[in-house]
Amino acid sequence: MSGEKPPVEICKGVNGLDKVVLREVRGSSAEMYLYGGHVTSWRNDHGEELLFLSTKAIFKPPKAIRGGIPICFPQFGSHGNLDQHGFARNRFWSIDANPPPFPTVSTNKAFTDLIFKPSEEDLKIWPHSYEFRLRITLGPGGDLMLTSRIRNIDTKPFSFTFAYHTYLSVSDISEVRIEGLETLDYLDNLKAKERFTEQGDAITFEAEVDKIYLGTPTKIAIIDHEKKRTFVLRKDGLPDAVVWNPWEKAKSIADLGDDEYKHMLCVEPAAVEKAITLKPGEEWKGRLELSAVPSSYRSGQLDPQRVLQG
Ligand code: BG6
């Protein structure tokens, strides 16, 4: 056993912030910061980074870390009176030493449980009591799984919107396509949230995109032609999916390099159109599972159907 790194390690990251490192025996790994309950790294067993993290990311409150998987809660975007994307992404979370059990018991050792509870200050801006538990697991095949459990411990109901703001690392945004969202309705953030219906085949990119797809399937494929890699995103409890790439607008985002938009794509499992309402004592669960698989070719063409149905 000597020399072998543990499956879960708590250590210091950028600016001395606490982070948790998960390692799976075959070599894949993930890292998350207690600041924001924020996954910042997910590597496959070749050590290749699969999430985008800006070289200009600021690891310092009150700014959320640019890249990885910020948690948008209790508000997605500007859909409410709170600051953009709520405040869970720029609060300090804790290790949850005693999480309530999950219905299915796993023998997997590479996981950690985080918890976020509102402070007195948080209660002033959003006056609802809750416990937000986040389990992050690295599966035996290197899959990354995030499960959020939000429990109302208040005496009144409350409603919230939510997103796993997932920044995927891509070789070249112009060479990427998304399968699973074609023909769906979406709200266009670039057109005052007006509702449209997607036309045509897969989603490709040649300009800024900021859309909230509604009633999306539980499985979405993001195909990176150049890397010959497909991300398969599975989700539960999250009917919507936000797709964002700022393109030239990256120049106006201080913590994003001017050209970095070429190497990122946000596909964000979300609950936006219909807020989630929890009565006192109720719990909501929202799940994201990411895997990265080699793209399959047939007659020189990618075959996303096999990915989506497989
Ligand atoms: C996306 C939104 O989820 O996040 C975009 O749809 C927004 O409208 C983007 O610009 C980034 O937000 P922020 O607050 O992290 O800069």
Side-chain angles (χ1 to χ4, degrees):
M1 288 298 278
S2 63
E4 216 172 86
K5 293 197 169 165
V8 184
E9 190 181 1
I10 301 169
C11 51
K12 297 287 178 195
V14 181
N15 291 337
L17 294 173
D18 290 320
K19 73 173 180 182
V20 183
V21 181
L22 303 180
R23 294 187 192 90
E24 191 273 323
V25 277
R26 268 170 272 181
S28 56
S29 65
E31 294 188 3
M32 62 256 18
Y33 277 72
L34 295 193
Y35 177 55
H38 193 136
V39 175
T40 53
S41 171
W42 170 42
R43 288 177 189 273
N44 63 17
D45 49 13
H46 301 296
E48 293 167 324
E49 181 58 63
L50 302 168
L51 295 178
F52 169 84
L53 181 66
S54 170
T55 55
K56 294 188 158 187
I58 299 163
F59 286 72
K60 207 172 169 187
K63 190 78 195 149
I65 300 164
R66 174 75 60 197
I69 312 181
I71 302 280
C72 303
F73 171 84
Q75 174 185 302
F76 173 78
S78 57
H79 294 247
N81 303 323
L82 300 175
D83 283 350
Q84 160 103 335
H85 291 329
F87 49 80
R89 65 175 180 162
N90 56 9
R91 294 294 187 273
F92 282 94
W93 293 51
S94 311
I95 303 272
D96 188 3
N98 211 355
F102 279 83
T104 45
V105 182
S106 160
T107 50
N108 202 331
K109 290 194 181 114
F111 69 90
T112 190
D113 286 287
L114 306 183
I115 184 163
F116 170 59
K117 290 184 196 171
S119 66
E120 290 294 315
E121 288 305 304
D122 296 336
L123 288 169
K124 282 183 198 154
I125 54 172
W126 204 64
H128 307 290
S129 294
Y130 55 88
E131 288 170 342
F132 185 153
R133 293 190 151 83
L134 174 63
R135 172 168 290 190
I136 302 139
T137 307
L138 193 60
D143 294 355
L144 181 68
M145 289 160 276
L146 277 74
T147 306
S148 289
R149 296 184 286 175
I150 299 173
R151 179 173 289 281
N152 182 341
I153 54 168
D154 213 323
T155 50
K156 294 194 189 100
F158 62 73
S159 301
F160 62 89
T161 50
F162 180 95
Y164 288 116
H165 196 312
T166 312
Y167 287 76
L168 298 170
S169 169
V170 297
S171 53
D172 175 356
I173 186 68
S174 310
E175 298 291 323
V176 172
R177 52 192 271 156
I178 303 182
E179 299 278 345
L181 302 178
E182 51 285 352
T183 75
L184 295 182
D185 280 5
Y186 63 89
L187 308 179
D188 197 337
N189 274 332
L190 302 178
K191 294 189 178 135
K193 304 189 177 93
E194 207 184 319
R195 191 176 181 124
F196 296 92
T197 303
E198 195 63 68
Q199 307 287 344
D201 300 337
I203 319 288
T204 54
F205 299 89
E206 49 193 26
E208 182 185 3
V209 174
D210 192 353
K211 296 176 176 178
I212 304 166
Y213 289 90
L214 308 173
T216 58
T218 55
K219 204 165 166 186
I220 298 168
I222 300 101
I223 299 148
D224 186 336
H225 288 254
E226 207 173 293
K227 266 263 152 68
K228 297 188 175 57
R229 172 187 292 149
T230 296
F231 290 104
V232 183
L233 184 157
R234 293 180 179 84
K235 60 189 179 60
D236 237 348
L238 295 159
D240 306 323
V242 182
V243 175
W244 178 62
N245 183 291
W247 218 263
E248 294 291 319
K249 213 180 258 175
K251 293 197 173 81
S252 63
I253 302 176
D255 56 349
L256 188 63
D258 290 358
D259 286 333
E260 285 188 320
Y261 73 88
K262 292 177 182 163
H263 308 297
M264 57 160 272
L265 175 61
C266 289
V267 182
E268 314 166 29
V272 182
E273 192 196 24
K274 293 188 192 84
I276 311 243
T277 299
L278 287 179
K279 293 192 194 118
E282 272 184 349
E283 184 178 82
W284 169 83
K285 206 191 270 181
R287 201 162 175 279
L288 161 65
E289 189 175 325
L290 282 170
S291 39
V293 295
S295 295
S296 52
Y297 278 81
R298 198 165 58 191
S299 321
Q301 293 292 311
L302 281 168
D303 186 5
Q305 280 316 315
R306 279 169 61 188
V307 173
L308 286 172
Q309 284 157 17

